[in-house]
Amino acid sequence: MITTASAAIGLARRLEEESAGFYQALSKHYPEHAATLAAFASDNRKNVQQIERAYYGVISDALEGCFAFNLDEAAWEIDFSHSSGQSVAQALARAMELEVKIIDFYTLAAQQSKGLMADVPRAFLAIARRHEDRLTKIQRLVGG
Amino acid sequence: MAILREPISEPTAVRNYIGGEWVESSGERRDIVNPATGQVIGSVPISTASEFDSAVAAAKDAFWEWRTTPPVTRARYLHKLRALLEENFEELSRVQTQEHGKTIDESRGETRRGIENVEVACGIPTLQMGYNLEDIASGIDEYVIRQPLGVFGIIGPFNFPFMIPLWSAPYAVATGNCVVIKPSSEVPLSQMKIAELVDEAGFPPGVWNVVNGGREVVASMVEHPGIAGVTFVGSTPTAKYIYESCGKSGKRCIAQAGAKNFIIVMQDCNVEKTVPAMMTSFFGNAGQRCLSGANMVVVGDDAFYSDFVDRIVTAARRIVVGYGLDESVQMGPVRDRDKKARIVRYIESGLEEGAKLLLDGRVPQVRGDLPHTCFLGPTIFENVDPQMRIAKEEIFGPVMSIIRARNLDAAIDMANASTFGNGNAIFTSNGAAAREFRYRAVSGNVGINIGIVAPMAFFPFSGMKDSFFGILHTQGQEAVRFFTESKVVIERWL
């Protein structure tokens, strides 16, 4: 179980970095959506910065940094690999699955740390909303 | 789970920082031991009185030029230091974990709190302003100027090696004084790292000095005619000694001392959020904080009491104990084997006096292949009487004593009967109960649904009774007043 803020932030960082790698790979394979997918990867990196800024900005011994979370680490072992043989529709469908999973992570993490870590749950919720927006964009790509 | 890299990979020989130079001490050296791994990570000199004298002399030499440096310029040195501390945030935090044993979250929290004090001191051009009144009589004006006093001594404790000297030092130098810091000889590496950054920031030589050592340096500091004042954080007996000694030698003094904090839990509290707050209050930093919860006073009926205590014991039992650089660890070791032995003696005294042990931390499960020399697990007693030693004396370890009170009045009376008054708190959703507690609590720092009542840098770190000796406090505006003399000018032009 992940219980400490340090470990939870580390997990968020890993999810964003692996997600960035996934979209970077997609942007190379599907030139018709390259700009959008590369922008997603860039946004992933901004998300890491936002999370770290929130955490390092408010972490304090007055808050429950070591007792703020209760996350099952195994539940967030997500496979971000991309198979080059996939059609664009298959790849985007996979992207939507991943986005739903990431949104779930941030929503749960925000809920668990609400009231405990001040700016951190707020940052988590903001990033969850950003991934929701991304999900909508991917749905449009699939539809378009 | 990731084990973070250790920044100190080879033993470091700590030196004194005097007059802008790194100086070897002629005193004996003692090992600095990582309490989690048992590894020797460095050595610290036990400096002599004459070495302390040379630091005071360097500080006195630097004083006039520094105090005549415009406050806005002095602030720029602090801005530079703040930037360097931010750049090195992670390394500074990990050093704390290596030398002290606390978890990485706790170390980062300490780093943040330390930097916040530098940030506040950066506002010195505003903070140091005096005040004035025109025409106290026709054509006569009166004003107050805040002037620095000279050289201040700062004595740091072992439990917050990075942060606590920064409750004082940035304000002292920002107001135009020079400082000589004596870190705890158990954990001197954090202050050495800060001094390296002070050096890099380009502070004039002699403004910021560090002399490592023990009692001899402390005794020299409180008696030295070249020292204008002293700030201290540590145990109550030592705080009394320092306060008395400073009084005798005519020095200003802030002496922050021990504690025995009462956390009152009312039946109407938000249980889900109160339980983790109790974990961090009682077991965070392995209970080695002057703001740690010590006595949990529960006000509620039998059903609430047993359910709440069950939750507390269950949560405490799950706490992962181990090396603080393992990100999964929630509680590190206590600082050394002597402190562990002292805590164990208190646990034994609780048993001898008839308290019921709900959770025994004397033989903890420790994550990883580590020597058990300094580790303890969370310990919880119930049926504790306020007259027992475990309820009255400062244990400074991860030990919770549960006491029941029939109502809020009785709980407040119990807390106020303590000889200490540092950081008491209440957990309730009832505004009237919270207000009553805030109003009547004889405690320098008061928490409402906050388990660790650590004031931010722009507020004073208060304390009452045997928890504090002095008038003004460290941090914020009060620190600025402590480090300056108010000069009153009455002026007319004839």
Side-chain angles (χ1 to χ4, degrees):
Chain A
M1 296 300 281
I2 287 178
T3 52
T4 67
S6 182
I9 299 298
L11 174 57
R13 187 191 304 120
R14 180 171 64 74
L15 291 177
E16 292 291 343
E17 284 170 355
E18 291 185 6
S19 173
F22 172 76
Y23 285 112
Q24 204 69 56
L26 258 56
S27 72
K28 285 178 187 151
H29 279 89
Y30 309 108
E32 63 271 41
H33 300 308
T36 305
L37 296 167
F40 288 168
S42 168
D43 287 345
N44 283 121
R45 294 184 190 104
K46 288 179 191 162
N47 292 343
V48 174
Q49 286 175 0
Q50 184 175 355
I51 294 162
E52 291 188 341
R53 196 179 301 126
Y55 168 66
Y56 281 102
V58 300
I59 182 68
S60 145
D61 77 330
L63 298 172
E64 293 78 7
C66 291
F67 304 94
F69 297 93
N70 194 26
L71 296 162
D72 180 2
E73 197 175 9
W76 309 105
E77 287 294 336
I78 303 170
D79 179 11
F80 283 94
S81 62
H82 165 62
S83 153
S84 54
Q86 283 181 324
S87 69
V88 66
Q90 287 171 321
L92 292 177
R94 178 68 188 139
M96 285 193 286
E97 286 172 17
L98 294 174
E99 289 303 324
V100 169
K101 194 85 177 155
I102 291 173
I103 292 164
D104 286 348
F105 165 75
Y106 280 115
T107 307
L108 181 62
Q111 202 174 35
Q112 289 185 353
S113 57
K114 193 177 176 189
L116 298 178
M117 290 290 296
D119 293 17
V120 171
R122 195 182 304 170
F124 280 169
L125 281 178
I127 295 168
R129 281 199 292 275
R130 216 167 285 153
H131 281 281
E132 282 166 0
D133 290 347
R134 181 184 294 185
L135 184 60
T136 307
K137 283 181 190 164
I138 298 170
Q139 284 164 342
R140 282 198 202 115
L141 291 181
V142 172
Chain B
M1 198 70 68
I3 309 281
L4 303 172
R5 182 189 60 81
E6 293 179 326
I8 299 167
S9 52
E10 289 179 5
T12 302
V14 173
R15 288 179 293 173
N16 294 332
Y17 182 67
I18 298 173
E21 303 285 339
W22 292 99
V23 182
E24 293 291 350
S25 165
S26 61
E28 61 158 316
R29 282 195 166 265
R30 290 186 190 159
D31 286 344
I32 308 162
V33 179
N34 179 330
T37 64
Q39 286 176 319
V40 174
I41 55 173
S43 66
V44 60
I46 304 303
S47 304
T48 62
S50 67
E51 286 163 346
F52 178 75
D53 285 348
S54 67
V56 177
K60 284 182 75 173
D61 283 350
F63 174 62
W64 187 254
E65 192 174 332
W66 183 241
R67 69 91 69 220
T68 56
T69 301
V72 69
T73 306
R74 294 199 299 259
R76 286 187 186 122
Y77 286 96
L78 287 160
H79 278 289
K80 177 70 176 164
L81 175 61
R82 190 207 68 83
L84 290 167
L85 291 168
E86 286 288 357
E87 269 175 43
N88 292 275
F89 190 104
E90 187 61 16
E91 183 185 344
L92 292 164
S93 302
R94 293 184 191 184
V95 168
Q96 289 160 53
T97 295
Q98 270 192 277
E99 69 174 342
H100 176 273
K102 61 183 67 186
T103 68
I104 189 61
D105 276 316
E106 290 165 343
S107 293
R108 289 173 185 154
E110 179 173 351
T111 308
R112 174 56 56 214
R113 285 290 166 114
I115 292 174
E116 280 168 1
N117 277 281
V118 180
E119 287 170 343
V120 172
C122 285
I124 206 65
T126 308
L127 293 170
Q128 201 173 342
M129 282 180 180
Y131 52 94
N132 63 72
L133 185 68
E134 277 189 335
D135 293 325
I136 55 164
S138 293
I140 303 178
D141 305 328
E142 184 162 345
Y143 47 97
V144 170
I145 303 166
R146 297 200 194 286
Q147 293 188 326
L149 287 96
V151 182
F152 278 84
I154 295 167
I155 304 168
F158 81 87
N159 60 336
F160 285 93
F162 177 89
M163 173 183 73
I164 287 181
L166 294 179
W167 289 353
S168 299
Y171 304 99
V173 299
T175 46
N177 300 285
C178 300
V179 295
V180 182
I181 298 169
K182 190 209 84 67
S184 162
S185 57
E186 297 171 60
V187 287
L189 293 165
S190 292
Q191 288 306 311
M192 185 194 79
K193 292 284 175 190
I194 293 175
E196 287 172 1
L197 299 179
V198 164
D199 196 66
E200 192 178 339
F203 277 80
V207 170
W208 190 296
N209 305 276
V210 180
V211 176
N212 294 282
R215 288 178 182 173
E216 193 175 344
V217 171
V218 171
S220 301
M221 189 184 285
V222 296
E223 290 169 8
H224 202 292
I227 292 284
V230 174
T231 67
F232 167 83
V233 177
S235 71
T236 294
T238 310
K240 277 183 180 169
Y241 155 73
I242 286 172
Y243 192 64
E244 286 169 5
S245 303
C246 284
K248 281 179 193 162
S249 58
K251 298 184 197 330
R252 296 180 170 208
C253 184
I254 293 174
Q256 295 174 241
K260 190 74 184 178
N261 299 313
F262 287 69
I263 312 293
I264 298 173
V265 177
M266 304 296 288
Q267 184 158 342
D268 56 26
C269 73
N270 179 327
V271 170
E272 291 295 325
K273 290 179 180 169
T274 300
V275 171
M278 293 300 114
M279 294 303 105
T280 201
S281 177
F282 286 83
F283 306 124
N285 217 37
Q288 300 170 113
R289 288 193 277 223
C290 63
L291 291 173
S292 284
N295 295 329
M296 186 175 78
V297 183
V298 183
V299 179
D301 59 30
D302 289 350
F304 170 76
Y305 174 83
S306 54
D307 174 65
F308 188 76
V309 170
D310 276 355
R311 287 170 185 254
I312 290 289
V313 173
T314 302
R317 188 173 278 128
R318 287 184 186 146
I319 288 177
V320 178
V321 177
Y323 188 17
L325 287 181
D326 177 341
E327 286 187 300
S328 69
V329 163
Q330 296 170 287
M331 192 174 109
V334 295
R335 222 331 278 172
D336 60 48
R337 68 173 71 217
D338 290 343
K339 290 180 178 60
K340 176 178 171 176
R342 180 176 175 277
I343 295 163
V344 168
R345 284 198 295 277
Y346 269 108
I347 295 171
E348 288 162 356
S349 86
L351 288 168
E352 286 160 13
E353 290 189 277
K356 184 180 172 190
L357 196 53
L358 297 180
L359 187 60
D360 187 351
R362 286 175 292 180
V363 186
Q365 279 202 318
V366 177
R367 178 163 290 180
D369 183 20
L370 298 166
H372 284 212
T373 322
C374 301
F375 285 104
L376 283 166
T379 293
I380 301 177
F381 280 108
E382 73 169 348
N383 296 345
V384 176
D385 183 277
Q387 295 310 311
M388 291 178 182
R389 285 182 62 210
I390 54 169
K392 286 198 302 188
E393 297 174 15
E394 183 174 44
I395 299 174
F396 226 58
V399 181
M400 172 191 277
S401 296
I402 304 176
I403 306 173
R404 289 189 76 173
R406 64 183 180 284
N407 55 33
L408 178 60
D409 271 352
I412 294 173
D413 287 347
M414 203 182 288
N416 286 349
S418 170
T419 56
F420 297 101
N422 210 44
N424 294 345
I426 189 169
F427 281 73
T428 181
S429 58
N430 181 318
R435 201 265 178 191
E436 180 72 6
F437 176 74
R438 172 180 62 75
Y439 191 79
R440 285 176 50 197
V442 186
S443 174
N445 309 287
V446 167
I448 312 284
N449 297 316
I450 295 283
I452 294 291
V453 198
M456 296 290 286
F458 26 90
F459 286 97
F461 194 113
S462 192
M464 292 182 181
K465 298 191 278 187
D466 278 357
S467 295
F468 179 77
F469 301 93
I471 299 166
L472 294 167
H473 303 90
T474 50
Q475 298 200 143
Q477 277 282 6
E478 291 206 19
V480 172
R481 288 179 60 199
F482 178 77
F483 290 114
T484 54
E485 187 75 88
S486 294
K487 180 181 279 183
V488 184
V489 181
I490 305 176
E491 182 178 290
R492 72 177 167 186
W493 292 91
L494 303 173

